[in-house]
Amino acid sequence: MSKNSPSVAGTKPSLPQGTRDFGPDVVRKRQYILTTIKNVFELYGFQPLETPAMENLETLMGKYGEEGDKLIFKILNNGLNDPKNIDKAKAAFENVLQGKNDKNLTERALKYDLTIPFARYVAMNHGQLTFPFKRYQVQPVWRADRPQKGRYREFYQCDADVVGSNALINEVEFVNIYNTVFQQLGIEGYEVRLNSRKILTALAELCGGADKMLDITIAIDKLDKIGLEKVKEELTQRGLTTEQITTIETYLNVDGSNEEKLQHIKALLQQSEIGNKGIEELEYVLSMEHTQLPIIDFTLARGLNYYTGIIFEVKAPATVKIGSIGGGGRYDDLTGLFGVPNIPGAGISFGVDRIYDVMEELNLFPQTIAQGSKVLFFNLGIEEAKIGYALMQQLRKQGTAAEIYHENVKMDKQFKYAEKKNIPFAVILGSRELENKMLVVKNLQTGEQQTLKQEELLSYSF
Amino acid sequence: MSKNSPSVAGTKPSLPQGTRDFGPDVVRKRQYILTTIKNVFELYGFQPLETPAMENLETLMGKYGEEGDKLIFKILNNGLNDPKNIDKAKAAFENVLQGKNDKNLTERALKYDLTIPFARYVAMNHGQLTFPFKRYQVQPVWRADRPQKGRYREFYQCDADVVGSNALINEVEFVNIYNTVFQQLGIEGYEVRLNSRKILTALAELCGGADKMLDITIAIDKLDKIGLEKVKEELTQRGLTTEQITTIETYLNVDGSNEEKLQHIKALLQQSEIGNKGIEELEYVLSMEHTQLPIIDFTLARGLNYYTGIIFEVKAPATVKIGSIGGGGRYDDLTGLFGVPNIPGAGISFGVDRIYDVMEELNLFPQTIAQGSKVLFFNLGIEEAKIGYALMQQLRKQGTAAEIYHENVKMDKQFKYAEKKNIPFAVILGSRELENKMLVVKNLQTGEQQTLKQEELLSYSF
């Protein structure tokens, strides 16, 4: 910051569209959610990983489909006006104007999700890692999406993945991670829903061929939003026959308890080897210990086409109209894109912004989160403040968060400060108390106050 | 991630120059440092703030001097190839090739430090904030510096500032925040050094005028690195006379205890009102409670020219050749640049990467940091794993981090996994234990093992 730029004074500052400042209260609430999730990840043996905000452009491009690629924020190379760069930069700019990418203009970009950087990390370090490698990652990502309610250009993702394992025990672990987190956060009425891409594959086979898989999953994925009739319309548009659509409708109508659903689906898919495998896998997951049983939901599809096994989705309590607050699934090959094949895995993520909204709406954040300091020492003179300060240092040594008001002003103003900052106790040490080696502790909520010897402060229970 | 891009398989991935992945062990060690610092900030009544990675370009430009401006990472606008943008983009690109900035090409940039975004935040929200506003902020920043040992393009800054207060009690607080953090981290032999820009101003006056201030501070700032003779050379080059340089040399040679130094400096600067004010302020800070007394160091200058009062610097223990691990000072006007004048303040920062290096070199990280799970449940069969899993869930409910090996393989392999992941206990539940409702707990460090009833596991002290 240079003090020599008075000319720009008066510029009214603003934030880039789709980004947010998080003030103290919001940071504390977000930390409460993130710390809960991280602690549960650790409880389940997952280890933290952090990757940079910036990746090489080529690491990201081509990984998120055409639409995704357009939403990647690219970073302009520095020094473009350097004579040795200028010609290349001009040529590169022409490419960019034609909708291409060129690393002579933008060598780097901001990460778009946590999965591809994780894959890049595993591919770069697979020789040193102990497999199965269980990592969690909680970091911001950036997308040049059009901002709207609940959609930001900079937002946190919160992922856990295990790679280098085909074992279904991992799926059981993910169900229980969801259970443990949402129970610890006090969210009641959430639902962990399960399906299997193997069952969807079997359905596609039943409808005439695996080539229908993508059409079917994309259409089914919209069921919640657009309803059955529109899904059927979309299936027609995507070239499925009436007979095939009837089969899909039968599939989507499978209902009842988990057991009933599984019975129906077995009847429907009995001819399909992959279908039976999918059913067996779901049965295994259901057979294991859970604090809350997951719900089989055959209408769950998850649009992303890299899932190959069990898929997850967590629904927020029905009383809040928020929808999905988490999801994930199993994939066959994480790092093939980076030249390291045969590393299968599974992963889940938490929708942090939506969980925040659920917590707010259901009033689930503990009151104590909003509190900073426990004690405000009043400032009533130089000598008074000096003694007060030394006492405060003793309190802090015991772990009590405390502040001293910065200047000797009217008590009114100091009370006001304590109130605004939600500080529950005041320690008042004026000239009389200074003389008698006393002080007054005042509970600012009840108004009660107590005169103590100064040395008694340390045993006072705030 | 799209599964349909086999053509790029084989690309060897890499990281952008000057950026880093942090694997599990490093994240844990960094978190240990950052959590310690954050908890101390909270103990001192500071509140968390987070601002976005991206700022509007105009918020950042012109704030860091010409050299700084060049090091700002700018983000390319999306949709430049959209027909409605293309002409403006072309014109903007011409400007960029001439070394200018143009928001038709780059509307946004990555933040370069935490101070300007903080100033922007205060200017935008000053009507809602309670002053003095004490905030801390721990976030990454980005600089297009040439990468070299210990210098990165993406790195964390860790700042605390108080704004809206002229009171010196804040300086006392900052000294004690440094003390508390470094004592909690177990770093012995660090030194918190103090000087005052007011004293440097008085020295400049003594040398013939306030216009010499910048030349003098820039030269003195290099004393540590280049030594007295070179500083004198630089002062000569900067147009100071032999007589003036003699005065500066006398000043730089002031030595002894804090009291002796203050006595000498009083004699030297006795005519200067601002000098006396500076001395008085240092004396006030020294008079207050400290767990470790700060050291007066009149050779401390801190190059940044926005400081106006007391300045701080923390030196790493002399046994490690690492230099400064923290610094800060008082400034007159934080938000004037953004149209909101008269908000003075003071702040400090911690050099997180350097503190990490100090901790590594002195072997100060607690052993327990490297540990993830406490217990590995061996997987010795489907039924065995099912019972093991249920027991593990009980353990986790008590807060013990645990894992179950993902597949039923030879015990050797499972022991190896525990060893590599530094897991201290194994729970072994094979067919015999399944039958007898027993299990074996093995301490993997000592080799000791104990056979327990399954229900006794929960009271075992891991």
Side-chain angles (χ1 to χ4, degrees):
Chain A
M1 180 169 72
S2 154
K3 149 187 209 199
N4 303 321
S5 321
S7 56
V8 291
T11 312
K12 200 160 181 198
S14 64
L15 265 180
Q17 259 202 315
T19 69
R20 297 167 285 177
D21 287 324
F22 298 124
D25 290 351
V26 180
V27 173
R28 291 211 170 101
K29 288 176 176 171
R30 288 172 59 87
Q31 284 307 326
Y32 176 74
I33 294 172
L34 294 177
T35 304
T36 300
I37 298 174
K38 286 181 193 173
N39 288 344
V40 173
F41 287 156
E42 292 272 349
L43 194 63
Y44 279 72
F46 285 74
Q47 299 183 305
L49 173 72
E50 291 177 15
T51 65
M54 298 194 285
E55 292 280 349
N56 287 324
L57 190 62
E58 63 203 18
T59 299
L60 303 185
M61 295 314 291
K63 309 301 192 298
Y64 304 103
E66 209 180 313
E67 282 311 300
D69 279 3
K70 282 188 197 155
L71 302 182
I72 291 174
F73 279 114
K74 288 144 207 144
I75 297 164
L76 195 71
N77 293 356
N78 290 68
L80 289 179
N81 60 329
D82 186 321
K84 75 174 192 295
N85 297 331
I86 215 158
D87 288 337
K88 279 188 204 161
K90 280 180 178 166
F93 186 64
E94 287 306 317
N95 280 331
V96 168
L97 290 185
Q98 285 162 42
K100 296 179 203 149
N101 293 297
D102 194 314
K103 66 180 190 175
N104 286 320
L105 193 76
T106 55
E107 203 179 322
R108 290 162 294 252
L110 292 178
K111 69 180 172 220
Y112 178 89
D113 73 357
L114 302 180
T115 306
I116 289 296
F118 173 51
R120 194 260 314 135
Y121 174 82
V122 172
M124 280 174 71
N125 298 281
H126 65 104
Q128 283 74 54
L129 299 175
T130 303
F131 288 103
F133 181 58
K134 298 160 76 174
R135 84 85 174 81
Y136 69 90
Q137 198 170 346
V138 182
Q139 292 193 289
V141 300
W142 293 266
R143 296 184 182 180
D145 244 323
R146 192 200 305 254
Q148 58 182 54
K149 190 178 173 327
R151 192 202 281 159
Y152 304 99
R153 288 183 160 173
E154 174 171 339
F155 59 98
Y156 268 70
Q157 286 193 338
C158 180
D159 287 10
D161 286 81
V162 51
V163 293
S165 171
N166 283 308
L168 281 171
I169 193 91
N170 297 301
E171 277 83 338
V172 179
E173 291 281 76
F174 286 129
V175 170
N176 278 317
I177 286 175
Y178 275 136
N179 281 330
T180 310
V181 165
F182 291 120
Q183 283 158 10
Q184 286 192 7
L185 290 176
I187 297 178
E188 284 169 18
Y190 72 89
E191 290 175 353
V192 179
R193 295 177 172 242
L194 297 185
N195 193 10
S196 169
R197 295 294 286 229
K198 289 178 180 160
I199 289 171
L200 289 162
T201 304
L203 174 66
E205 281 174 7
L206 203 63
C207 292
D211 61 312
K212 299 283 186 298
M213 177 74 176
L214 195 62
D215 290 317
I216 294 175
T217 50
I218 288 176
I220 290 183
D221 205 30
K222 299 179 183 166
L223 183 64
D224 258 8
K225 277 188 201 143
I226 63 177
L228 183 61
E229 287 313 308
K230 294 265 177 201
V231 168
K232 283 160 72 179
E233 274 173 37
E234 173 147 356
L235 287 167
T236 306
Q237 278 160 25
R238 286 177 178 270
L240 280 94
T241 65
T242 315
E243 196 187 358
Q244 289 166 345
I245 294 175
T246 305
T247 306
I248 294 169
E249 194 172 352
T250 310
Y251 171 91
L252 291 176
N253 282 329
V254 166
D255 207 0
S257 67
N258 281 343
E259 289 71 26
E260 288 164 343
K261 283 182 193 160
L262 284 165
Q263 223 164 358
H264 289 153
I265 212 79
K266 274 182 199 168
L268 192 66
L269 304 179
Q270 55 183 323
Q271 309 290 354
S272 165
E273 195 183 331
I274 195 166
N276 284 318
K277 182 90 181 112
I279 292 164
E280 197 184 293
E281 291 182 358
L282 287 176
E283 285 179 330
Y284 170 78
V285 172
L286 291 175
S287 77
M288 298 291 282
E289 183 79 15
H290 302 288
T291 44
Q292 181 181 302
L293 204 66
I295 291 170
I296 302 291
D297 178 359
F298 293 122
T299 73
L300 181 64
R302 294 194 68 76
L304 290 167
N305 65 3
Y306 59 83
Y307 291 124
T308 53
I310 285 179
I311 49 181
F312 308 93
E313 193 157 294
V314 186
K315 300 261 183 212
T319 47
V320 296
K321 303 263 168 291
I322 286 179
S324 168
I325 50 177
R330 172 166 289 281
Y331 40 84
D332 266 345
D333 179 8
L334 181 74
T335 53
L337 286 169
F338 297 113
V340 182
N342 302 325
I343 302 190
I348 56 169
S349 70
F350 284 85
V352 180
D353 285 306
R354 288 185 172 190
I355 294 169
Y356 186 99
D357 292 342
V358 171
M359 302 278 296
E360 275 294 22
E361 204 166 322
L362 299 178
N363 207 9
L364 293 175
F365 287 112
Q367 287 285 319
T368 46
I369 287 182
Q371 199 179 87
S373 299
K374 206 84 198 225
V375 185
L376 180 68
F377 281 73
F378 276 36
N379 188 332
L380 301 169
I382 292 176
E383 277 311 304
E384 291 83 347
K386 191 170 168 176
I387 301 298
Y389 193 84
L391 287 166
M392 179 172 68
Q393 288 306 86
Q394 297 295 318
L395 263 196
R396 283 172 170 166
K397 210 169 274 176
Q398 296 183 344
T400 305
E403 301 178 49
I404 187 164
Y405 195 73
H406 68 128
E407 55 187 7
N408 174 11
V409 292
K410 278 193 297 190
M411 288 187 58
D412 255 19
K413 211 171 163 185
Q414 306 195 37
F415 276 119
K416 200 99 198 158
Y417 177 82
E419 191 189 321
K420 280 192 181 165
K421 285 196 72 179
N422 202 16
I423 301 175
F425 291 94
V427 168
I428 300 166
L429 198 162
S431 56
R432 197 158 35 128
E433 289 81 11
L434 184 68
E435 209 169 294
N436 306 335
K437 298 196 190 304
M438 307 293 277
L439 52 75
V440 174
V441 177
K442 182 164 180 147
N443 181 324
L444 298 174
Q445 268 128 36
T446 64
E448 265 178 284
Q449 59 179 55
Q450 209 178 332
T451 305
L452 303 177
K453 290 185 190 152
Q454 287 174 5
E455 67 267 27
E456 290 172 337
L457 183 68
L458 295 185
S459 44
Y460 189 90
S461 69
F462 288 105
Chain B
M1 180 168 72
S2 154
K3 159 187 204 196
N4 305 321
S5 321
S7 57
V8 291
T11 311
K12 202 161 180 197
S14 64
L15 265 180
Q17 260 202 315
T19 68
R20 297 166 285 176
D21 288 322
F22 297 125
D25 290 352
V26 179
V27 173
R28 291 213 170 99
K29 287 175 177 173
R30 288 172 59 87
Q31 284 306 327
Y32 176 74
I33 294 172
L34 294 177
T35 304
T36 301
I37 298 174
K38 285 181 194 174
N39 287 344
V40 172
F41 287 155
E42 292 273 348
L43 194 63
Y44 279 72
F46 285 74
Q47 299 184 303
L49 174 71
E50 291 177 14
T51 65
M54 298 194 284
E55 291 279 350
N56 286 325
L57 189 63
E58 63 202 20
T59 299
L60 304 185
M61 295 314 292
K63 310 301 192 296
Y64 304 103
E66 209 179 314
E67 282 310 300
D69 279 3
K70 282 188 196 154
L71 302 183
I72 291 174
F73 279 114
K74 288 143 209 145
I75 296 165
L76 194 71
N77 294 356
N78 290 66
L80 288 180
N81 61 329
D82 185 321
K84 74 176 194 293
N85 297 331
I86 216 159
D87 288 338
K88 280 189 202 161
K90 281 180 177 169
F93 186 64
E94 287 306 316
N95 279 331
V96 169
L97 291 184
Q98 284 163 42
K100 294 179 204 149
N101 292 295
D102 193 315
K103 66 179 187 172
N104 286 320
L105 193 75
T106 56
E107 202 179 322
R108 291 163 293 251
L110 291 178
K111 68 181 173 220
Y112 178 89
D113 73 356
L114 302 180
T115 306
I116 288 297
F118 174 51
R120 194 259 314 137
Y121 173 82
V122 173
M124 279 174 71
N125 298 281
H126 64 103
Q128 282 73 54
L129 299 175
T130 303
F131 289 103
F133 180 59
K134 298 161 76 175
R135 85 83 174 81
Y136 68 90
Q137 199 171 345
V138 181
Q139 292 192 286
V141 301
W142 292 267
R143 296 184 183 180
D145 243 324
R146 192 199 306 252
Q148 57 183 53
K149 190 178 173 327
R151 192 202 280 160
Y152 303 99
R153 289 184 160 174
E154 173 171 337
F155 60 98
Y156 268 70
Q157 285 193 335
C158 179
D159 287 11
D161 286 81
V162 51
V163 293
S165 171
N166 284 309
L168 281 171
I169 193 93
N170 297 301
E171 278 83 338
V172 179
E173 291 280 77
F174 286 129
V175 170
N176 278 318
I177 286 175
Y178 276 137
N179 281 331
T180 310
V181 165
F182 291 120
Q183 283 159 9
Q184 286 192 7
L185 290 176
I187 298 177
E188 284 170 18
Y190 73 90
E191 289 175 356
V192 179
R193 293 176 174 243
L194 296 184
N195 193 11
S196 169
R197 295 294 286 229
K198 290 180 178 157
I199 289 170
L200 289 161
T201 305
L203 174 66
E205 281 175 6
L206 203 64
C207 291
D211 62 312
K212 298 283 187 300
M213 177 72 176
L214 196 61
D215 292 317
I216 294 175
T217 49
I218 287 175
I220 290 183
D221 204 31
K222 300 180 183 166
L223 184 64
D224 258 9
K225 277 188 202 146
I226 63 177
L228 183 60
E229 286 315 307
K230 295 268 177 197
V231 168
K232 283 161 71 179
E233 274 174 36
E234 171 146 359
L235 287 167
T236 307
Q237 278 159 23
R238 286 176 176 273
L240 280 95
T241 65
T242 315
E243 197 187 355
Q244 289 166 345
I245 293 175
T246 307
T247 307
I248 294 169
E249 192 170 354
T250 311
Y251 171 90
L252 292 176
N253 283 328
V254 166
D255 207 359
S257 67
N258 281 344
E259 291 69 27
E260 287 164 344
K261 284 180 193 162
L262 284 165
Q263 223 164 359
H264 290 152
I265 212 79
K266 273 182 199 168
L268 191 66
L269 304 179
Q270 57 182 322
Q271 309 290 355
S272 165
E273 197 184 328
I274 194 165
N276 284 318
K277 181 88 182 114
I279 292 163
E280 198 183 290
E281 291 182 358
L282 288 176
E283 286 178 331
Y284 169 79
V285 172
L286 292 175
S287 78
M288 298 290 283
E289 183 79 15
H290 301 287
T291 44
Q292 181 180 305
L293 205 65
I295 292 169
I296 301 290
D297 177 0
F298 293 122
T299 73
L300 180 64
R302 294 195 66 75
L304 290 168
N305 64 3
Y306 60 81
Y307 291 123
T308 54
I310 286 180
I311 49 181
F312 309 93
E313 192 157 293
V314 186
K315 301 260 183 210
T319 48
V320 295
K321 304 263 167 292
I322 286 178
S324 168
I325 50 176
R330 173 165 290 280
Y331 41 83
D332 267 345
D333 179 8
L334 180 75
T335 53
L337 286 169
F338 297 113
V340 182
N342 302 324
I343 303 190
I348 56 169
S349 70
F350 285 85
V352 180
D353 285 307
R354 286 184 171 190
I355 293 170
Y356 186 100
D357 292 343
V358 171
M359 301 278 296
E360 274 295 22
E361 203 165 322
L362 299 178
N363 205 9
L364 293 175
F365 287 110
Q367 287 285 320
T368 46
I369 287 183
Q371 200 178 86
S373 300
K374 209 83 199 227
V375 185
L376 179 68
F377 282 72
F378 276 35
N379 188 333
L380 301 169
I382 292 177
E383 277 311 304
E384 291 83 347
K386 189 169 170 179
I387 300 299
Y389 192 83
L391 287 166
M392 179 171 70
Q393 288 305 87
Q394 297 295 318
L395 264 195
R396 283 172 171 165
K397 210 169 271 176
Q398 296 183 344
T400 305
E403 300 178 50
I404 186 163
Y405 195 74
H406 68 128
E407 54 187 7
N408 175 12
V409 292
K410 278 192 296 189
M411 290 187 57
D412 255 22
K413 210 170 165 187
Q414 306 195 37
F415 276 119
K416 201 97 198 161
Y417 178 83
E419 192 190 320
K420 280 192 182 165
K421 287 197 72 179
N422 204 15
I423 301 175
F425 290 94
V427 168
I428 301 166
L429 198 161
S431 54
R432 197 160 32 134
E433 288 83 11
L434 183 68
E435 209 171 297
N436 306 335
K437 297 195 189 305
M438 307 293 278
L439 51 75
V440 175
V441 177
K442 182 165 181 147
N443 181 323
L444 298 173
Q445 267 128 35
T446 63
E448 265 179 285
Q449 60 179 57
Q450 209 177 333
T451 304
L452 302 177
K453 289 184 193 153
Q454 287 174 5
E455 67 267 26
E456 290 173 338
L457 183 68
L458 296 185
S459 45
Y460 189 91
S461 69
F462 288 104

